[in-house]
Amino acid sequence: MILTQKIMRIVLLGPPGSGKGTQAALLRDQLGVAHISTGVLLREAVEQQTELGKKAKSYMDAGELVPDDLVLGLIEERLGQPDVARGFILDGYPRNLSQAEALDSVLERIEQPVDAAVSVTVNESEIVDRLSRRAIEEGRSDDTEEVIRNRMRVYAEQTAPVAGHYARRGQLREVDGMGSVEEVNQRLLDTLENPDAG
Ligand code: B4P
């Protein structure tokens, strides 16, 4: 299959609840690349009560972005690990323009530039439904209705402009995130395999 023969370095963009984390885990297995989620890395740090985790927790519980310098340290360390040479999917990073610029510098230094950024789009009522469902199933502390609304506001103000960063280089693809997990996954695979078709 073409996809597994090519090194894939992908940035997955999308609002909270768009299915980024879900799809990134599938693509990791399908493409054989590393799945790097800053949300997962931060939640691990909180659970392990590291210094970084203690600092990050209050931001995460409020649905705010964790300060850039803290997240950059995490991502630099992760991108320094050997499995990254096979390619990677970045899930939840970059989340603002300054993170996008910091990422460019790190990737230039390690000579692993991004191949494509894929933005997964979902409407607002579906986001609230999905995250409210997850609140019941998983009990994540940032899945309350008030915090979900704030995460969506933060996304619109700070993260949505990141798509433009990749669009300006002709690297942005859009994928409809509505429908079943399998349907969205197939759209993503189609887009990655044939980027000019979408
Ligand atoms: P994240 O962990 O990235 O949380 P998220 O945006 O809600 O996305 P997630 O990947 O978990 O959910 P998904 O859409 O896959 O970040 C959490 C917090 O960490 C942020 O608010 C911030 O504080 C901090 N943070 C993370 N990265 C940061 C950074 N770079 N800088 C600063 N701060 C940072 O899925 C949502 C739900 O939908 C799941 O329950 C899933 O099962 C369901 N779902 C998925 N696809 C579906 C489908 N097709 N149909 C129905 N349900 C579906």
Side-chain angles (χ1 to χ4, degrees):
M1 191 174 153
I2 301 167
L3 277 176
T4 51
Q5 287 164 7
K6 188 176 179 300
I7 292 178
M8 297 295 270
R9 293 178 292 256
I10 302 158
V11 169
L12 210 52
L13 301 170
S18 56
K20 295 182 308 291
T22 309
Q23 295 298 333
L26 291 172
L27 291 172
R28 169 195 58 209
D29 297 337
Q30 291 160 332
L31 307 179
V33 297
H35 172 198
I36 304 178
S37 159
T38 42
V40 169
L41 293 172
L42 286 166
R43 279 188 290 282
E44 281 171 6
V46 170
E47 203 176 311
Q48 290 160 10
Q49 299 187 21
T50 63
E51 281 312 305
L52 186 150
K54 286 180 200 162
K55 288 183 192 150
K57 186 173 184 341
S58 59
Y59 295 97
M60 296 173 77
D61 284 347
E64 296 292 331
L65 294 185
V66 173
D68 290 345
D69 55 333
L70 296 182
V71 187
L72 182 60
L74 265 185
I75 202 89
E76 273 189 300
E77 191 192 333
R78 182 63 187 88
L79 285 169
Q81 290 171 18
D83 62 337
V84 165
R86 292 200 307 269
F88 55 79
I89 298 167
L90 281 176
D91 159 17
Y93 194 92
R95 248 174 160 100
N96 61 27
L97 284 172
S98 95
Q99 290 187 6
E101 281 158 16
L103 177 65
D104 286 344
S105 310
V106 176
L107 295 181
E108 197 178 323
R109 198 165 65 230
I110 64 171
E111 299 181 352
Q112 302 275 357
V114 165
D115 294 319
V118 185
S119 172
V120 181
T121 57
V122 172
N123 69 40
E124 195 170 319
S125 66
E126 174 74 10
I127 290 175
V128 176
D129 280 359
R130 286 185 189 179
L131 297 181
S132 307
R133 217 163 29 236
R134 184 170 69 186
I136 297 165
E137 288 164 6
E138 295 178 22
R140 226 171 87 172
S141 59
D142 59 347
D143 279 341
T144 62
E145 183 166 348
E146 195 194 334
V147 177
I148 293 169
R149 297 262 173 227
N150 195 39
R151 283 157 64 197
M152 284 161 58
R153 202 164 34 239
V154 167
Y155 176 81
E157 286 168 10
Q158 301 189 49
T159 311
V162 172
H165 180 81
Y166 294 101
R168 282 188 283 279
R169 301 177 187 175
Q171 289 187 310
L172 184 71
R173 319 277 173 249
E174 276 207 4
V175 165
D176 179 3
M178 301 291 286
S180 70
V181 169
E182 294 74 23
E183 284 166 341
V184 178
N185 179 238
Q186 193 55 54
R187 285 181 209 133
L188 277 164
L189 288 171
D190 290 347
T191 301
L192 291 171
E193 196 160 358
N194 192 6
D196 299 325

